[in-house]
């Protein structure tokens, strides 16, 4: 049996998405900027897709800008708004558990002379809103806090952070890659800037979007022919955009995913030396379960599972530093041994109960030996 439990790293295309992509690459090859009918057909796909993405997030169609993925969306949101607003102040805030697509931008801005506050998180991986309030000053121009963490699934209080905008004048960005389609969008669509990615929601790789709310001042990073309203130049990735909209229009069954995670969690809880991380009484994103297996190396366990047809990851597999020590697990207070023995199971739409039970059986047999 093949059991893919690495859906936070990337997902398999849904069959309907495969059909859509096939149709578009075979039939709709026009450039959306061309004025003839072949171009207009491609432009229509981009327009319809933008509407679908906007609706799925409860934002306006004109606020959706397609990008090459969330890494580009994060970079654009951060550099674009910090540079555009740097005259107002030099203080920016993020959390210690952000994805490298965010953290490395902040590190670069720090080297350039910006003053950065990195917020701590508790053992459930959640920031402290009071620490944030105390950090904000009239110099603070920008705050970026992810909606859901990619290694442990913690849900950050984006709505509460957004409420602080009534008192303070900052731009709020959220990396919503792991939140999008997994938790209700009203938990994070209050941010001024929102990054999402196609390949985490069963669409193609190389497509993402940045939501830029009306009135938010941000300079484009990619200049050229003025596509995407001049905000992000470059001929649009029409098959990618179509795949993104198709995947999103298939409503994600988060209840099923949460149910499967419960089965996995219950099964793993009975294994000696297994400790579930940052579960927060189930108040975490439904698709991620982080588990530390005391006395074991994550890589060894990962390969043992692979031999049985089960695919998981140690820490986070969506960046190259996958064998380094996880900054997220360290921020929630895990010691070196616990970090070294951590496996991330991440579930998706296409997993079945049978697969999860098989995974629990394999773990129980191998680890209780
Ligand atoms: N942000 C988070 C939270 C992620 O999990 C990922 C995963 O890779 C990214 C950003 C980067 O997304 P992309 O692969 O679309 O650039």
């Amino acid at each position: 049996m093949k059991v893919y439990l690495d859906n936070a790293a990337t997902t398999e295309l849904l069959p309907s998405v495969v059909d859509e992509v096939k149709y578009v690459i075979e039939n709709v090859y026009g450039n959306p900027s061309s004025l003839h009918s072949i171009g207009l057909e491609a432009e229509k796909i981009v327009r319809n897709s933008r509407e679908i993405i906007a609706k799925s997030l409860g934002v306006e169609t004109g606020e959706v800008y397609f990008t090459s993925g969330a890494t580009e969306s994060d970079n654009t949101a951060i550099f674009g708004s910090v540079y555009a607003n740097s005259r107002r102040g030099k203080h920016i805030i993020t959390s210690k558990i952000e994805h490298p697509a965010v953290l490395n931008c902040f590190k670069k801005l720090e080297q350039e002379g910006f003053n950065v506050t990195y917020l701590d998180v508790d053992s459930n991986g959640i920031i402290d809103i009071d620490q944030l309030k105390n950090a904000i000053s009239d110099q603070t121009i920008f705050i970026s806090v992810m909606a859901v963490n990619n290694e442990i699934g913690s849900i950050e209080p984006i709505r509460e952070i957004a409420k602080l905008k009534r008192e303070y004048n900052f731009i709020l960005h959220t990396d919503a890659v792991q939140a999008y389609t997994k938790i209700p969008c009203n938990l994070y669509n209050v941010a001024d800037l929102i990054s999402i990615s196609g390949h985490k929601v069963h669409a193609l790789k190389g497509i993402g979007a940045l939501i830029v709310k009306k009135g938010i001042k941000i300079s484009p990073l990619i200049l050229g022919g003025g596509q995407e309203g001049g905000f992000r130049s470059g001929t649009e990735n029409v098959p990618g955009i179509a795949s993104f909209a198709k995947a999103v229009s298939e409503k994600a069954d988060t209840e099923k995913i949460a149910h499967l995670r419960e089965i996995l969690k219950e099964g793993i809880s009975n294994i000696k030396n297994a400790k579930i991380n940052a579960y927060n009484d189930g108040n975490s994103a439904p698709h991620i379960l982080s588990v530390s297996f005391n006395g074991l190396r994550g890589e060894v366990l990962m390969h043992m599972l692979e031999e049985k047809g089960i695919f998981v990851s140690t820490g986070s597999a969506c960046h190259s530093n996958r064998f380094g020590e996880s900054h997220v697990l360290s921020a929630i207070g895990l010691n070196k041994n616990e970090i070294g023995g951590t496996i991330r199971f991440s579930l998706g739409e296409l997993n079945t109960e049978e697969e999860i039970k098989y995974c629990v059986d394999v773990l129980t047999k191998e680890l209780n030996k």
Side-chain angles (χ1 to χ4, degrees):
M1 188 185 276
K2 180 179 151 209
V3 185
Y4 183 72
L5 294 176
D6 203 12
N7 289 276
T10 198
T11 53
E12 191 180 341
L13 295 190
L14 296 175
S16 60
V17 174
V18 174
D19 291 344
E20 178 74 5
V21 170
K22 197 163 177 294
Y23 173 78
V24 173
I25 57 180
E26 282 174 358
N27 300 288
V28 192
Y29 55 87
N31 184 327
S33 298
S34 297
L35 296 178
H36 46 66
S37 56
I38 294 177
L40 289 180
E41 212 185 327
E43 197 269 332
K44 193 173 161 203
I45 288 190
V46 174
R47 191 166 8 104
N48 289 344
S49 303
R50 203 185 305 281
E51 269 171 32
I52 291 170
I53 301 287
K55 212 166 157 210
S56 72
L57 274 166
V59 301
E60 289 183 25
T61 308
E63 296 176 330
V64 177
Y65 295 90
F66 289 113
T67 64
S68 65
T71 300
E72 184 191 323
S73 301
D74 287 344
N75 274 256
T76 308
I78 298 167
F79 292 117
S81 28
V82 171
Y83 290 151
N85 293 279
S86 63
R87 277 213 226 126
R88 278 204 296 114
K90 289 271 186 240
H91 181 226
I92 54 181
I93 302 178
T94 191
S95 83
K96 286 186 179 166
I97 61 164
E98 297 297 312
H99 188 274
V102 167
L103 272 185
N104 288 335
C105 298
F106 274 81
K107 283 186 194 148
K108 177 144 194 297
L109 289 166
E110 201 171 12
Q111 285 161 6
E112 290 175 16
F114 286 89
N115 172 16
V116 182
T117 300
Y118 295 97
L119 300 170
D120 299 315
V121 290
D122 64 14
S123 59
N124 282 321
I126 297 170
I127 64 151
D128 176 356
I129 203 84
D130 289 328
Q131 188 194 15
L132 173 61
K133 272 188 211 160
N134 291 334
I136 300 178
S137 73
D138 57 3
Q139 280 291 303
T140 310
I141 53 169
F142 183 76
I143 299 178
S144 179
V145 174
M146 68 202 319
V148 164
N149 181 269
N150 49 301
E151 294 188 40
I152 52 177
S154 53
I155 301 176
E156 301 301 332
I158 304 301
R159 287 175 72 95
E160 276 187 69
I161 303 175
K163 281 186 196 149
L164 301 174
K165 283 169 62 68
R166 292 181 198 145
E167 281 172 71
Y168 305 97
N169 186 15
F170 60 83
I171 292 177
L172 175 59
H173 167 244
T174 190
D175 175 332
V177 168
Q178 300 292 345
Y180 187 42
T181 76
K182 306 295 189 310
I183 64 170
C185 68
N186 64 3
L187 293 180
Y188 58 88
N189 70 2
V190 286
D192 301 309
L193 301 164
I194 306 166
S195 302
I196 53 174
S197 174
H199 73 105
K200 310 288 182 176
V201 296
H202 302 281
L204 286 177
K205 293 168 184 61
I207 185 68
L210 178 65
I211 312 309
V212 183
K213 295 280 180 68
K214 269 208 189 92
I216 296 300
K217 197 173 145 206
I218 164 167
S219 8
L221 289 195
I222 299 180
L223 304 177
Q227 289 88 345
E228 295 294 282
F231 181 75
R232 199 276 185 182
S233 289
T235 303
E236 295 87 343
N237 172 0
V238 181
I241 291 171
S243 77
F244 201 5
K246 188 69 188 176
V248 166
S249 61
E250 306 272 341
K251 206 177 159 332
D253 190 349
T254 47
E255 270 177 31
K256 172 188 150 186
I257 298 174
H259 172 66
L260 295 181
R261 184 180 68 155
E262 253 346 269
I263 299 176
L264 185 61
K265 187 204 150 240
E266 284 313 307
I268 290 178
S269 305
N270 296 324
I271 296 173
K272 63 176 184 214
N273 297 336
K275 175 176 157 251
I276 312 280
N277 299 317
Y279 181 70
N280 196 18
D281 289 331
N283 288 321
S284 48
H287 62 307
I288 296 178
L289 190 70
S290 168
V291 187
S292 296
F293 294 92
N294 194 13
L296 281 169
R297 296 292 311 158
E299 302 89 88
V300 174
L301 189 50
M302 190 186 91
H303 292 305
M304 182 279 282
L305 288 172
E306 182 164 6
E307 275 171 26
K308 307 277 177 195
I310 301 166
F311 300 84
V312 296
S313 92
T314 57
S316 154
C318 50
H319 51 90
S320 59
N321 184 26
R322 67 182 79 166
F323 297 117
E325 189 173 293
S326 156
H327 64 291
V328 176
L329 300 178
S330 157
I332 62 169
L334 266 55
N335 64 36
K336 271 191 186 312
N337 284 339
E338 289 170 323
I339 295 174
T342 300
I343 289 285
R344 177 187 66 183
F345 299 89
S346 53
L347 295 83
E349 201 67 19
L350 299 172
N351 289 126
T352 63
E353 202 163 316
E354 192 192 358
E355 290 177 355
I356 302 304
K357 286 183 174 156
Y358 169 72
C359 177
V360 170
D361 273 356
V362 168
L363 282 166
T364 310
K365 274 191 204 123
E366 295 296 319
L367 300 181
N368 283 340
K369 261 182 194 166

